[in-house]
Amino acid sequence: MATHRRPKQPSRARLTVFTGAAATAVALTAQLAAHADPAPTKDEVKAQVDKLAQEQEQAAERYNGAKERADQLRKQADQLQDQMARSQAQLTELASGLAEVAGEEYRQGGVDPSIRLMLSSDPDGYLAQASSYEQAANTQADSLKALKDQQRRLDQQKQEATAVLAELDGSTKVLNEAKNEVQSKLQEATRLLSRLSRADQAAIRAGGDGTASRSASRVDPATLPPASGAAAIAVKTALEQQGDPYKWGATGPGSFDCSGLMVFAYASAGVSLPRTSQSQGSVGTNVGTDWHNAQPGDLVVYHSDRHHVGMYIGNGLVVHAPQSGDVVRTMKVDAMTISTIRRI
């Protein structure tokens, strides 16, 4: 007959240890919860996202400038390569001509031309042929000089190409750094927004209560004062893009960054603008910083570093491409600090 043993009861000491450990765990959990970073509020996230958006736009304009310069350098390098190829072909042709002359002299035994003529069976032709030899000698000297000049030209082109390619490497590095910075800022903004509810995310992207928004409602061009010339075409074109998404590095059609919208609008009027907001802040005529002096079509450049730009359309409004997640729209002209107003 099998015997049944009662399970061994835990000792009083073991119960005390378990109870103490559980209590400690509960206390630590409570302490960690008390010291954990509280979830950010909607206003806190909005402030951080706005700051990231500004930094992203600054990096985007650096990217635009570096890309513009890199494109110029690539074009310059291609032109230099073509020039070098032509120079090398001319150099080879000149060298070939001189080689033929040298070969003929070798075949003649190196005898001075005048001696050969004097020993000729036709002395009467000496004077006539002497002139021909002198001309040939002069031609040879000219060819040699041309050869040296072409060699110097080729060497200079090679030096210029080397300098251009070195600058292109530097510009490409800046381009990649700016691109990575833009992506980093956008990812951080997305991470911050993901900590909020969908409703709060939508409110921040739409501007919420307006305190952090650059945007105003869609404007009907018929309600605006008339512009003239190229400015009229540029204003019309810019307003037609209302609702198109912001995309950094884009110049349209269909998406734009701030300076890209200006480039696109004025290109429709046959006017070429530089690519970045900083460069656009130096074109045309300076109107100052008082927007009351602005006319439709003027570029309004913002912030001390001029990293944002819009186009004045009248009635105290500008049209612009605000930031990632937003669309081309209008805002009050003095919603941000004006650095300069430029008349194109």
Side-chain angles (χ1 to χ4, degrees):
M1 181 174 166
T3 59
H4 298 278
R5 296 182 179 180
R6 285 192 315 176
K8 187 175 181 181
Q9 297 298 320
S11 68
R12 185 179 300 273
R14 291 177 66 193
L15 283 173
T16 301
V17 170
F18 287 153
T19 303
T24 300
V26 171
L28 285 173
T29 302
Q31 186 176 11
L32 288 173
H35 287 84
D37 291 336
T41 66
K42 173 184 163 185
D43 289 342
E44 290 172 341
V45 170
K46 176 184 286 188
Q48 294 179 65
V49 168
D50 283 351
K51 182 174 182 295
L52 286 168
Q54 180 172 332
E55 293 171 349
Q56 176 263 312
E57 193 171 33
Q58 291 170 332
E61 287 303 298
R62 284 197 297 275
Y63 171 89
N64 290 337
K67 185 176 186 303
E68 182 180 43
R69 183 56 181 158
D71 290 342
Q72 293 171 347
L73 290 170
R74 288 191 188 94
K75 184 177 180 180
Q76 188 177 351
D78 290 342
Q79 291 173 344
L80 283 169
Q81 293 286 353
D82 291 340
Q83 292 173 8
M84 286 166 58
R86 289 194 296 269
S87 295
Q88 185 64 62
Q90 293 170 1
L91 186 66
T92 301
E93 183 178 355
L94 288 169
S96 177
L98 287 173
E100 291 180 5
V101 172
E104 180 62 24
E105 289 183 352
Y106 178 79
R107 286 190 292 274
Q108 294 292 338
V111 179
D112 185 88
S114 61
I115 300 298
R116 292 201 304 270
L117 284 172
M118 292 176 66
L119 297 176
S120 172
S121 60
D122 183 14
D124 293 336
Y126 173 76
L127 293 177
Q129 294 188 43
S131 176
S132 297
Y133 271 97
E134 182 179 1
Q135 291 176 1
N138 290 337
T139 300
Q140 181 178 356
D142 290 342
S143 297
L144 183 59
K145 181 178 181 300
L147 180 68
K148 292 179 178 179
D149 290 343
Q150 192 66 25
Q151 183 65 62
R152 281 195 295 269
R153 191 174 297 112
L154 180 59
D155 291 342
Q156 181 180 357
Q157 289 168 349
K158 288 180 178 179
Q159 292 175 359
E160 291 176 3
T162 299
V164 166
L165 291 173
E167 186 179 351
L168 178 58
D169 286 342
S171 184
T172 302
K173 182 179 179 181
V174 173
L175 185 73
N176 291 332
E177 290 174 349
K179 181 178 180 180
N180 291 336
E181 185 176 357
V182 170
Q183 298 287 18
S184 175
K185 301 298 181 184
L186 291 175
Q187 290 172 0
E188 177 63 13
T190 300
R191 187 190 68 79
L192 287 169
L193 286 170
S194 68
R195 302 176 68 180
L196 299 178
S197 67
R198 290 185 178 180
D200 285 345
Q201 290 181 41
I204 289 177
R205 289 194 174 99
D209 57 8
T211 57
S213 174
R214 301 176 182 175
S215 303
S217 58
R218 188 181 182 94
V219 169
D220 181 358
T223 65
L224 299 172
S228 61
I233 299 173
V235 168
K236 180 178 181 294
T237 301
L239 287 173
E240 287 173 347
Q241 314 314 312
Q242 289 181 94
D244 286 351
Y246 174 98
K247 182 179 180 182
W248 68 274
T251 57
S255 61
F256 305 87
D257 61 17
C258 68
S259 55
L261 179 62
M262 304 299 106
V263 169
F264 181 82
Y266 265 101
S268 68
V271 178
S272 177
L273 291 182
R275 180 62 184 89
T276 67
S277 58
Q278 289 85 0
S279 296
Q280 291 172 7
S282 299
V283 298
T285 303
N286 184 11
V287 182
T289 58
D290 185 353
W291 69 266
H292 294 91
N293 297 323
Q295 295 178 5
D298 288 353
L299 304 185
V300 184
V301 186
Y302 295 96
H303 305 295
S304 60
D305 63 355
R306 300 183 175 184
H307 72 262
H308 190 72
V309 61
M311 182 183 296
Y312 188 70
I313 57 175
N315 296 349
L317 299 172
V318 295
V319 60
H320 70 144
Q323 60 188 23
S324 292
D326 210 332
V327 297
V328 174
R329 57 175 73 197
T330 60
M331 71 172 180
K332 291 182 178 180
V333 63
D334 58 353
M336 294 180 284
T337 303
I338 297 174
S339 173
T340 184
I341 302 172
R342 315 298 298 193
R343 185 154 301 152
I344 306 305

